[in-house]
Amino acid sequence: MAVSTSFSGAKLEALLLKCGSSNATSTTPLSLSGKNRKTLIQRGAIRCEVSASDVVVDPTKKATTVSALEQLKTSAADRYTKERSSVMVIGLSVHTTPVEMREKLAIPEAEWPRAIAELCSLNHIDEAAVLSTCNRMEIYVLALSKHRGVKEVTEWMSKTSGIPVADLCQHQFLLYNKDATQHLFEVSAGLDSLVLGEGQILAQVKQVVKVGQGVNGFGRNISGLFKHAITVGKRVRTETNIAAGAVSVSSAAVELALMKLPEASHENARMLVIGAGKMGKLVIKHLVAKGCTKMVVVNRSEERVAAIREELKDVEIIYKPLTEMLTCIGEADVVFTSTASENPLFLKDDVKDLPPATDEVGDRRFFIDISVPRNVGSCVSDLESVTVYNVDDLKEVVAANKEDRLRKAMEAQAIISEESKQFEAWRDSLETVPTIKKLRAYAERIRLAELEKCLGKMGDDINKKTQRAVDDLSRGIVNKLLHGPMQHLRCDGSDSRTLSETLENMHALNRMFNLETEISILEQKIRAKVEQKP
């Protein structure tokens, strides 16, 4: 079990001496953090390594050396008195983890508040958020102790999913502070998506904030991170236009069709989609996104078409069975084919006598075949009245858009870098909050002590009105004296020079009033968590 409270050097030394004296032959085993493993993502490469700060005392050896004692002092005392709380993300994504594992880790949106509450009940986790989609499962936390936080969250993920910790460690990635910030900003901007620049993930990041509102544990640091990520996602899409253009075979097929059709015919061109599977459904959706309000869909059964029609209620989708396919082709200007048939659906002889396309599209019918094997026989392209495109013809469209998107991704990285610095500056500005609290507590203790002395000297017969007046006087003096120092400890992080001066002021006040000896805010939080548990 992780150590739940910090130890000063003296306490540690006493503990070790006690352990040594209570057992003459061996030392009581003391593990500060166990065999934590952290997984680091390095753009395509994952590695696991033993944390350098893990300190384990071998039960077969005596912990009497100075170096061992110093290590223990550092790992326990410094962890809470010097280490700043860390924003970190522990995640598994489509890039690193098979769907069989991701589906076990997935947390429905309705369960996010419960997950946040459970995470924040862990000894070393103060704030939390869950980003769970079909492509990723990421836990964002503010950890009071970096390595113990990782251990606790990983164990929680294992417990909730039923996946052994060892298996999670093989696939998960772990990022701290600036790296965690940059990762979420890239996710929100669509740079970490399978389809570069896709917009759905931004909506999902927004949903994390919406669900987290009013949930205990979705605190200032984590909520601030996600709100800033939304700003970054919007800015990247506005300034780089990364979401424009085709990014898949289906969308490329639609864009190619609109590119080849006369612009004046876009609204009235008759669209036919053969096949209502995944690819066909995407073609339909992209047609709708481009403004198409009516189309015919030929499929083996009506069930899938009805489901698509239910999803896209404002669009007229007419179902026709495969037996009427040739008739439908004769009534269409653009034909998209996307079935799993291993043989061509029609050949040259099947379509040569069909009525021509309308004059609005130049009396030429377009076949856009995105199936492999091909649905349209190669001989069909011999006809003068038709133009046939297959998936190889689409590669140029997709590649061109991909190249353009990669260029836009580089532009997006510049925006993300700038926004990351702004967010980190804002987080740095929060570093003065513990000093402000400790300085106020220090002044309040002095005020109360002196007030008690004063009231004691004034005797027992002093009335309540006078007591209140003296109390108000002492408060007023303290507040006025603290006003100057407090003003120099407040900063919004927008100005790097001001922030630097603010942090210098904080360190100066810590030295002047010996505030470093005050009990750590982190330790207070950890103690409170432990005391709340039965």
Side-chain angles (χ1 to χ4, degrees), residues 12-24:
L12 278 169
E13 190 169 1
L15 177 62
L16 288 171
L17 290 172
K18 183 177 179 182
C19 290
S21 61
S22 63
N23 192 335

Side-chain angles (χ1 to χ4, degrees), residues 247-289:
V247 292
S248 66
V249 169
S250 297
S251 60
V254 172
E255 287 207 3
L256 179 65
L258 296 179
M259 217 161 53
K260 298 300 180 181
L261 286 171
E263 191 171 343
S265 70
H266 285 188
E267 289 186 13
N268 300 319
R270 301 171 300 174
M271 301 290 180
L272 169 64
V273 180
I274 300 176
K278 290 182 180 179
M279 297 285 279
K281 182 178 180 180
L282 284 173
V283 168
I284 294 168
K285 285 190 171 184
H286 285 295
L287 283 170
V288 172

Side-chain angles (χ1 to χ4, degrees), residues 435-447:
T435 296
I436 291 173
K437 289 181 177 179
K438 287 191 283 188
L439 182 58
R440 279 205 169 276
Y442 175 74
E444 181 65 9
R445 286 199 302 273
I446 294 175
R447 185 189 74 82

Side-chain angles (χ1 to χ4, degrees), residues 418-457:
E418 177 188 331
E419 293 286 352
S420 294
K421 288 177 182 176
Q422 289 185 17
F423 178 76
E424 288 303 316
W426 175 77
R427 272 209 77 215
D428 287 340
S429 71
L430 300 181
E431 194 173 339
T432 63
V433 173
T435 296
I436 291 173
K437 289 181 177 179
K438 287 191 283 188
L439 182 58
R440 279 205 169 276
Y442 175 74
E444 181 65 9
R445 286 199 302 273
I446 294 175
R447 185 189 74 82
L448 290 174
E450 295 304 314
L451 177 63
E452 187 177 355
K453 288 180 186 177
C454 176
L455 294 176
K457 291 177 181 178

Side-chain angles (χ1 to χ4, degrees), residues 39 49-50 170 195 207 224 263 302 311 320 324 433 456 495:
T39 308
E49 59 184 28
V50 178
Q170 288 179 11
V195 176
Q207 198 62 21
E263 191 171 343
E302 190 176 2
E311 188 176 338
K320 295 292 182 180
E324 297 182 31
V433 173
D495 186 325

